[in-house]
Amino acid sequence: MKVTIKWVNPEKDGKVRAICNVEVLEKSLTLYGVKIIKGSKGVFAAAPSSKGKDDKYYSTAFFGEEFSKSVVAEAKTAMKKTEPADDDLPF
């Protein structure tokens, strides 16, 4: 699994820590716009969502716990590679 990070400067009380593209199958399946979120129960990956005609947001996929943990772990690894001087990761 390959994770490409787009940094998000977290607001003081913001929950989104990063937005990622996750290449699941090499050159076959890539998930765009995956969010790394710091919630009350820890850090997790959230599927992209789209806004419906009723102005509500709907998730486009469901991520199981194991997949979410894998994405978060890969994101942390990718962050360490791109930010070598910063030990204080945003989550």
Side-chain angles (χ1 to χ4, degrees), residues 11-79:
E11 299 172 10
K12 187 174 182 179
D13 295 324
K15 294 180 180 181
V16 177
R17 298 300 187 235
I19 298 176
C20 312
N21 294 333
V22 180
E23 186 178 297
V24 181
L25 300 173
E26 187 175 336
K27 298 181 182 179
S28 297
L29 176 63
T30 302
L31 304 172
Y32 294 94
V34 175
K35 295 177 184 175
I36 304 294
I37 298 176
K38 186 172 185 180
S40 60
K41 295 182 180 180
V43 180
F44 63 95
S49 60
S50 59
K51 191 174 185 179
K53 292 181 181 180
D54 57 0
D55 288 336
K56 293 181 182 179
Y57 285 90
Y58 297 93
S59 181
T60 57
F62 171 75
F63 288 172
E65 188 174 334
E66 290 302 314
F67 184 79
S68 180
K69 286 180 182 179
S70 297
V71 171
V72 170
E74 289 292 326
K76 285 183 179 181
T77 301
M79 286 180 187

Side-chain angles (χ1 to χ4, degrees), residues 3-14:
V3 177
T4 307
I5 302 290
K6 177 181 176 187
W7 297 102
V8 174
N9 291 329
E11 299 172 10
K12 187 174 182 179
D13 295 324

